[in-house]
Amino acid sequence: MSPDEYCQNKAAQSGSSFYYAFLFLPPERRRAITALYAFCREVDDVVDEVHEESVARMKLVWWRTQVADLYEGRAHHPVMQALAPHVKTFDLPQDELLAIIDGMEMDLDQVRYQSWSELERYCWHAASVVGLLSARIFGQTQTQTSDYAQKLGLAFQLTNIIRDVGDDARRGRIYLPQEDLDRFGVSPHELLDQQHSDRFEALMAFQTERAQELYRQAMRALPAVDRRAQRPGLLMAAIYHALLVEIANDRWHVLEQRISLTPIRKFWLAWKTWVSGGRNLQRKLSR
């Protein structure tokens, strides 16, 4: 199996919405974004699948050495070998790849967040920096597009947090800021015990509006001249935003189940956004 095939399999097996964005790209950009996504999956799996904290930390240290070797021309792991040809082509900074690992390490250091500013910092490492790297691969030409990519990453991550409240609680993690739980009178044990209530719905409506505002800010920041190149990100925005709406329409019953979109619906949203050039979606989500 070649390094590119290894990354392709990693992406396809994940079932992520990101995979649909890859399908419409020209070959070189598709290989680059698939390699980046495979890197993200590898380091994320360290935290999610390695149950011994000390072992997980050692594995993340090992991945830091792999990043260093990549930029010194000594890529060893198949993911890094697949990423190597694209580092210079798309100007992918070493510190941004390391920032992704920092985000994974934050999951080992912290399982509760006191404020939105604390959570926002985590979301930047977990998603916004991936948005910055992706925007370059897609063909960014304007500096303002970085603002779009960062805000969109925050919106994606907060959407994930809203979707995964129940799953995360069962793993001992509560990402919703404590200040927000206090504001709506929801205690952490209610999340751990899957207690759905009107207070919980009000809390989740608040988080959903925060995510909606991040989508609005992202769409307003995207320069028209870069919209066509950034269509892969807009495809993901169409899918993630539809998921957010689906969760809200279901009254945020996320404590006992994981709400998701069908693969057919994801593909339809991706195709429709690609064909329209993302113009309609940007207009819709900007309002």
Side-chain angles (χ1 to χ4, degrees):
M1 183 184 298
S2 71
D4 284 334
E5 289 170 337
Y6 178 95
C7 293
Q8 178 66 28
N9 286 344
K10 193 80 176 177
Q13 290 168 5
S14 73
S16 169
S17 300
F18 283 75
Y19 180 68
Y20 294 85
F22 306 164
L23 299 176
F24 299 89
L25 285 167
E28 184 178 15
R29 296 187 192 277
R30 185 169 65 246
R31 287 192 294 270
I33 195 64
T34 302
L36 174 62
Y37 179 74
F39 168 75
C40 294
R41 286 260 41 95
E42 290 282 357
V43 295
D44 189 57
D45 287 348
V46 170
V47 175
D48 286 346
E49 297 179 3
V50 178
H51 301 295
E52 181 62 45
E53 181 183 324
S54 61
V55 175
R57 290 188 186 279
M58 288 193 318
K59 283 181 174 288
L60 291 179
V61 168
W62 183 84
W63 274 107
R64 291 183 189 279
T65 67
Q66 292 301 298
V67 172
D69 287 347
L70 168 66
Y71 284 86
E72 292 173 7
R74 303 194 308 267
H76 303 296
H77 191 278
V79 167
M80 303 318 246
Q81 291 173 350
L83 199 54
H86 310 295
V87 167
K88 288 186 178 179
T89 302
F90 299 113
D91 187 25
L92 307 179
Q94 182 175 359
D95 62 347
E96 291 186 1
L97 289 180
L98 291 173
I100 296 172
I101 299 177
D102 290 342
M104 300 306 106
E105 198 159 31
M106 289 173 72
D107 270 330
L108 299 177
D109 296 332
Q110 190 170 358
V111 294
R112 304 280 177 94
Y113 292 84
Q114 179 59 37
S115 64
W116 165 241
S117 60
E118 276 191 12
L119 181 61
E120 186 176 22
R121 176 174 171 269
Y122 166 75
C123 291
W124 187 89
H125 283 278
S128 288
V129 68
V130 181
L132 291 171
L133 289 160
S134 300
R136 293 191 187 95
I137 292 172
F138 297 152
Q140 174 180 352
T141 65
Q142 306 296 309
T143 57
Q144 190 181 349
T145 300
S146 294
D147 296 332
Y148 148 82
Q150 293 187 75
K151 291 294 186 184
L152 195 59
L154 290 176
F156 288 169
Q157 190 64 22
L158 186 52
T159 301
N160 282 341
I161 288 170
I162 291 168
R163 177 195 63 193
D164 295 339
V165 169
D167 285 345
D168 289 333
R170 284 185 285 277
R171 293 157 62 190
R173 296 177 183 172
I174 297 177
Y175 290 99
L176 299 178
Q178 184 62 50
E179 64 180 12
D180 295 342
L181 270 66
D182 292 342
R183 175 178 177 178
F184 292 96
V186 177
S187 66
H189 78 77
E190 289 180 74
L191 305 184
L192 299 174
D193 294 341
Q194 302 179 15
Q195 295 180 24
H196 192 100
S197 65
D198 291 342
R199 289 174 289 104
F200 176 75
E201 288 193 11
L203 167 67
M204 298 306 289
F206 178 78
Q207 302 302 328
T208 299
E209 177 51 34
R210 175 178 276 157
Q212 292 278 20
E213 178 58 24
L214 289 168
Y215 283 110
R216 284 191 287 269
Q217 291 176 10
M219 294 303 113
R220 291 167 184 167
L222 177 60
V225 68
D226 267 2
R227 183 172 55 226
R228 186 172 182 83
Q230 297 302 318
R231 279 184 296 176
L234 293 172
L235 304 191
M236 290 183 280
I239 294 170
Y240 269 82
H241 187 264
L243 174 61
L244 185 67
V245 171
E246 187 83 6
I247 292 169
N249 288 342
D250 195 51
R251 306 305 301 173
W252 300 281
H253 281 280
V254 291
L255 291 174
E256 69 283 1
Q257 64 179 341
R258 193 174 193 267
I259 298 173
S260 61
L261 305 181
T262 65
I264 291 177
R265 187 174 176 192
K266 288 181 180 180
F267 184 81
W268 165 248
L269 289 166
W271 180 83
K272 184 170 64 170
T273 304
W274 186 268
V275 169
S276 71
R279 185 181 299 104
N280 295 339
L281 181 74
Q282 186 181 19
R283 187 182 304 116
K284 173 187 173 183
L285 298 191
S286 294
R287 296 198 294 267

